[in-house]
Amino acid sequence: MIRIARRTLNAIALVLTLAAGLAPLTVAAQAPAAGPTVFAAASMKTALDAIAASWTAQTGKAPVLVYGSSAVLAKQIEQGAPADIFISADLNWMDYLDKAKLLRAGTRRAFLGNELVLVEPADQKTTLKIEPGFDLAGQTGGGKIAVCTITSCPGGVYGKESLVALGVWDKVEPKLAQSDNIRAALNLVARGEARFGIVYATDAKAEPKVRVVGVFPSSSHSPIVYPVAVLEGSKNPEAASFVAYLSSQAAVKILLEQGFSILSK
């Protein structure tokens, strides 16, 4: 009877505590406070996820990370999406928002560089030198070459520029399988659904199920530049702090390990 009475008393005490609006004695660990919302090119995912985790461990605040094609993200920002920071995979889409007066003055800077590579499933062993007239179409056979959208997605734009400059565009174009963003193109190769893919070197490094066949000459396409900026409409006081953290020793280490080159601090 004593045991039952104690359980009853404990239950009554808990009910009274909740009714009074008091916190229970055992409180679960609180989730990190909300940090800035970052719209970033899909190719940033592996590195930026790690940087965000490091920043959260240091500050107790967790940024909200949204990934996609730079083109799609820029259009969403233009339409009023509640983003605080934009990291584009090319200059054009940052210029687009700049012309629309959507960037906070003085916050834009060139941030990272990258390389464009040809990848295939890791169990393949193709030998193919990327040079003018190289037979990419012939090596593809009846398969597909995965790219992100060649008219708007930066990786696809760079890819088309390179294929045109190397004189193989007309033969390769019919074999292209276009995806919304470059990580989606990478996944097609990783799953064996595409014979080759044109992605960034950092994407290839992040995916063990693909191997690099070769690097596209930097002279065959526009310089690959990732700019970053705080958006004019940002209300989050941590936005500038997070952008500054991208140049910290911890962040730079992650970016270099992932294969990016650092253009500025």
Side-chain angles (χ1 to χ4, degrees):
M1 296 298 295
I2 296 174
R3 183 177 301 173
I4 295 174
R6 285 178 178 173
R7 287 178 179 176
T8 302
L9 288 173
N10 286 339
I12 293 172
L14 177 60
V15 170
L16 292 175
T17 299
L18 294 175
L22 300 176
L25 295 178
T26 302
V27 181
Q30 292 184 344
T37 297
V38 184
F39 276 27
S43 52
M44 288 290 302
K45 179 171 174 46
T46 304
L48 197 58
D49 281 354
I51 291 170
S54 175
W55 190 72
T56 298
Q58 179 175 305
T59 66
K61 298 175 182 178
V64 177
L65 306 177
V66 179
Y67 299 105
S69 164
S70 300
V72 172
L73 297 176
K75 288 287 188 179
Q76 290 176 344
I77 291 168
E78 182 185 37
Q79 293 166 10
D84 299 296
I85 298 165
F86 181 44
I87 305 175
S88 175
D90 73 353
L91 297 173
N92 292 335
W93 288 107
M94 191 66 81
D95 288 343
Y96 181 86
L97 294 183
D98 206 353
K99 291 175 182 176
K101 310 295 184 185
L102 294 175
L103 305 184
R104 184 165 297 172
T107 65
R108 175 180 175 172
R109 62 184 173 88
F111 176 36
L112 300 172
N114 213 332
E115 289 185 308
L116 197 67
V117 300
L118 182 69
V119 297
E120 66 178 356
D123 59 358
Q124 299 294 319
K125 302 297 179 186
T126 303
T127 300
L128 186 61
K129 185 177 181 180
I130 300 178
E131 59 185 359
F134 76 119
D135 191 19
L136 178 56
Q139 289 282 353
T140 305
K144 289 293 185 179
I145 302 166
V147 295
C148 65
T149 311
I150 59 172
T151 57
S152 59
C153 179
V157 173
Y158 295 132
K160 180 179 179 180
E161 287 178 353
S162 192
L163 294 170
V164 169
L166 295 170
V168 300
W169 171 253
D170 290 341
K171 292 182 179 180
V172 168
E173 183 184 12
K175 297 181 178 292
L176 297 181
Q178 299 184 51
S179 299
D180 290 340
N181 63 71
I182 207 157
R183 283 297 174 98
L186 178 72
N187 288 336
L188 288 177
V189 183
R191 295 195 301 263
E193 296 174 18
R195 180 65 185 82
F196 294 106
I198 299 175
V199 299
Y200 297 119
T202 52
D203 297 310
K205 190 165 186 176
E207 177 51 76
K209 293 182 180 179
V210 307
R211 65 176 292 270
V212 174
V213 178
V215 179
F216 287 89
S218 60
S219 59
S220 68
H221 56 76
S222 302
I224 299 175
V225 177
Y226 288 63
V228 59
V230 176
L231 297 168
E232 178 60 31
S234 173
K235 300 294 192 295
N236 193 299
E238 301 297 332
S241 175
F242 186 78
V243 170
Y245 188 75
L246 295 175
S247 296
S248 68
Q249 184 176 358
V252 167
K253 182 176 183 292
I254 291 169
L255 291 164
L256 291 175
E257 288 175 347
Q258 187 58 31
F260 289 100
S261 57
I262 309 299
L263 300 182
S264 72
K265 292 187 178 183

